[in-house]
Amino acid sequence: MEDGQQFKRKLKIKKQDFILLITSLLVVILYVIANIIKYTPPSLFLFSITALYLSAMPKYLFHPKNFLIGFYGLWYTIPVMFGKRYEDYSFSDDSVILCYTMLISTFLIGFIIFHFIARKTNNSYKLLVLSPKIPMIYAHVFGILLIFVAIILIAVMSQHGLIGWLKNPGLASQERGGSGPAIILLIFATGLAYVSGGYYLQKYRKLFFVLLLFYLSLCFLTFLFYVGRGKLIMYIVFLFLIPFFRTRLKIITVLIFTFLALNFALIASWLRGTAGEGVSTFYEKFQTTLNYFDTFEALNILVENESPSLFQTTFYAFNKFLIPYGFDRSLPYSISIKYTPIYFPGYGTRTTVQFPIEADMYLSGWYILMIPLLIIFFLLIAYLYRVAISTMNIGMVYVSVSVLFLMISHLRGMIFEFYDFYMFPILLVSYFLLNPGRKINQS
């Protein structure tokens, strides 16, 4: 009987693989036709990524496929279809056609790799999942103490001081020059504190609400000193990482998360002031609010105005090492730093337009030559998830989900980013501190 059920499961997996490959072929054909007739509307992109996703939906909520479609669906579909800044686009220009062809290529490569590599297996992964005998309480207390130390250091090392940060955290964050090491320390501390805090929320259920109030207050305090629309969400995710990671995916869950993500982005951009003035109807306000999603426009501008050359921007991140040692402080360490002042003048010192990974790939290798690096990038993400979902080891789960968030940053940036140089060491150390030989209980 068990053999029959295993055979059915294997048959079902093979059937899903076949459906995905057929759907992928159809998407490729659609884009070949679109290139021939010179018309690649965002509706075609929305249809394509939706068809691919529905052909091979993942089992779990925190699957790389969900992060991939969440990003590409949110940034390159509805905003481009209805945003005010895109209302004059005909989607028949050569640059726009190339942009959408590159976008669907990246999505297709990532989705197929995630489907075939990021699968739960029975492998033990003994070489990757070690069991250091470090009690979880040590990591927890250490993380909380480090948060307060990092907050004090941020206030002291920046020009605004503690009172200035509490009065106007947005301004202080924009002018936080000199506090970089303290920010890195805070990133390290928050991962330890909130993931281990989630462990104790599950362990001491009688104290759940007391502990939750403390952790949420700590999240808000941390947010004041490291302002960012995604930071608070990340803290909450880490706090509930243990129950979230094992949550199975349902259509209703996808719809709820899509609705919440879209509304959060719209509200955030509204509060930021991108909704504009002088508009009267709700639809006009909605259109103008969607102006926040400027990544497609940024990609199109570079494709239209810049000429690619081999490795032109690939190693910008390494310039970050040169600046402290007397090299030219104007050296760009990201595409956004270099091209925002040129094509989007008037932005603040730390405010940049996000040029996506396709821009880096286009400028550094006509996109096609950079595909091998893109494949390696997606393979790393898929393999870490595979180890995490197969072992349910707390430290590995934290590393995997952190890398998924980093993936979004890379998709909005470059293949190599300067923050990789401190994030991966942070994740390695955090893995050992959060890995006391315990696993997430599976349900």
Side-chain angles (χ1 to χ4, degrees), residues 203-429:
K203 185 176 181 179
Y204 300 111
R205 294 186 179 274
K206 291 183 179 180
L207 299 174
F208 180 85
F209 290 106
V210 176
L211 291 174
L212 180 62
L213 180 61
F214 170 73
Y215 294 136
L216 290 179
S217 300
L218 193 60
C219 286
F220 181 73
L221 178 63
T222 309
F223 176 71
L224 290 179
F225 287 84
Y226 193 22
V227 179
R229 278 178 293 279
K231 297 295 182 263
L232 193 56
I233 292 180
M234 191 180 297
Y235 299 152
I236 302 301
V237 167
F238 286 159
L239 191 57
F240 292 96
L241 183 60
I242 293 174
F244 275 3
F245 193 75
R246 67 188 183 198
T247 300
R248 287 188 171 269
L249 185 68
K250 298 179 182 178
I251 291 291
I252 186 65
T253 310
V254 174
L255 293 175
I256 291 173
F257 268 78
T258 302
F259 177 79
L260 291 176
L262 181 59
N263 278 274
F264 177 82
L266 293 176
I267 292 170
S269 60
W270 181 273
L271 293 175
R272 190 187 183 193
T274 55
E277 298 178 357
V279 292
S280 55
T281 67
F282 174 80
Y283 181 69
E284 286 177 330
K285 291 179 180 178
F286 174 70
Q287 273 190 306
T288 311
T289 301
L290 290 176
N291 281 344
Y292 167 72
F293 299 95
D294 53 10
T295 309
F296 182 79
E297 181 185 26
L299 173 61
N300 183 56
I301 286 174
L302 283 191
V303 170
E304 197 171 22
N305 295 283
E306 298 291 332
S307 299
S309 60
L310 191 60
F311 301 132
Q312 181 180 166
T313 60
T314 304
F315 304 111
Y316 271 5
F318 293 87
N319 288 341
K320 195 73 171 177
F321 291 113
L322 303 177
I323 295 173
Y325 295 99
F327 286 83
D328 186 359
R329 297 189 66 83
S330 65
L331 278 174
Y333 51 88
S334 74
I335 287 183
S336 295
I337 293 292
K338 179 176 176 62
Y339 290 109
T340 296
I342 297 173
Y343 295 108
F344 298 89
Y347 275 70
T349 305
R350 295 185 181 274
T351 307
T352 58
V353 171
Q354 296 301 307
F355 293 83
I357 196 170
E358 289 80 12
D360 180 27
M361 294 177 66
Y362 172 75
L363 292 178
S364 295
W366 296 267
Y367 184 83
I368 294 176
L369 296 181
M370 292 293 108
I371 288 179
L373 283 178
L374 183 70
I375 291 174
I376 294 171
F377 171 69
F378 283 134
L379 282 173
L380 172 64
I381 296 165
Y383 190 72
L384 287 174
Y385 176 82
R386 178 174 176 163
V387 176
I389 197 65
S390 300
T391 62
M392 298 302 282
N393 173 275
I394 294 175
M396 188 57 71
V397 167
Y398 168 64
V399 170
S400 174
V401 173
S402 297
V403 170
L404 287 177
F405 280 112
L406 281 175
M407 178 184 76
I408 300 297
S409 298
H410 280 270
L411 293 175
R412 290 186 69 199
M414 305 173 65
I415 290 180
F416 299 114
E417 290 281 6
F418 69 90
Y419 44 75
D420 293 337
F421 300 124
Y422 59 80
M423 281 304 305
F424 283 101
I426 282 176
L427 293 178
L428 181 62
V429 175

